[in-house]
Amino acid sequence: MSPPVLVDTPLGPAAVRAAGPGSAVGTLVLGHGAGGATDGPDLLAVTAAASAAGWRVLRVDQPWRVAGRRIAPAPPQLDVAWTAVLEALRAGGALTGPLVVGGRSAGARVACRTAAALGADGVLALAFPLHPPGRPERSRADELRAAGVPLAVVQGGTDAMGRPEEVAAALAGVPAASVHAVPGDHSLGKAPDAVAAAALAWLGQLPLRS
């Protein structure tokens, strides 16, 4: 994996870490959650597995993390920074081949909200926070359903922010959407290899434009 590269955004610099071959079958761009950076075990496992399978993987640390702040900004600001990073990467020729965007928790929400506008070919959502713990009435199903591209959600079986069956119910009737249950809770730290295996299986079946 290469050292991080700083990318300017309207909210300050973001950091991008690249892994995988320069000539790749596609590019997977991953964001992090509201409580951590892109060095979580699930993100690292997916990065290793996807890059070994020929994908170029770019992990994006949002500007607030780069600046050392502990609290994430509001979702619209996350979208602004993410979009700026993706546009800069595209302009610099770093988005090789078909594009899949994704991330864990809050990063998965960002990917779902911006995928269609960024011309992504798919979304890989890890531990999507369907609702706050114990508050299923505050559902974020509209973000999942509006992704507009093929979507895979890898969800821990005991996730207090939405168990796999809850996510599947939220996606009922949405074409090209799938839910992959793995052991563990919202952290996805119990079985990162299972997370990576689910992600890789979906990537391998994803219809990609040439």
Side-chain angles (χ1 to χ4, degrees):
M1 298 183 186
S2 62
V5 174
L6 296 181
V7 177
D8 288 333
T9 82
L11 301 179
V16 179
R17 293 170 170 81
S23 178
V25 299
T27 301
L28 172 62
V29 187
L30 297 171
H32 55 79
T38 55
D39 56 358
D42 54 340
L43 290 172
L44 291 179
V46 170
T47 296
S51 59
W55 286 78
R56 179 172 174 80
V57 185
L58 305 175
R59 292 180 291 132
V60 178
D61 284 309
Q62 284 263 4
W64 66 276
R65 289 293 307 181
V66 175
R69 294 191 292 272
R70 299 181 65 180
I71 299 176
Q77 291 182 295
L78 296 176
D79 293 358
V80 166
W82 176 261
T83 298
V85 170
L86 269 290
E87 290 177 345
L89 292 172
R90 178 173 280 128
L95 302 185
T96 304
L99 173 65
V100 175
V101 295
R104 68 160 287 106
S105 196
R109 294 181 64 192
V110 172
C112 286
R113 291 192 300 260
T114 60
L118 290 170
D121 296 277
V123 172
L124 175 62
L126 308 177
F128 187 88
L130 183 63
H131 56 72
R135 300 292 302 275
E137 74 279 4
R138 294 180 56 187
S139 176
R140 302 179 181 115
D142 57 334
E143 293 181 356
L144 277 174
R145 297 180 65 87
V149 297
L151 166 69
V153 183
V154 182
Q155 203 80 354
T158 60
D159 193 331
M161 302 182 80
R163 296 185 305 279
E165 58 268 27
E166 293 180 84
V167 177
L171 287 171
V174 177
S178 57
V179 181
H180 308 260
V182 296
D185 56 18
H186 190 69
S187 71
L188 292 182
K190 183 175 182 178
D193 288 347
V195 176
L200 198 60
W202 176 75
L203 286 171
Q205 299 172 0
L206 186 64
L208 298 174
R209 56 183 167 82
S210 58

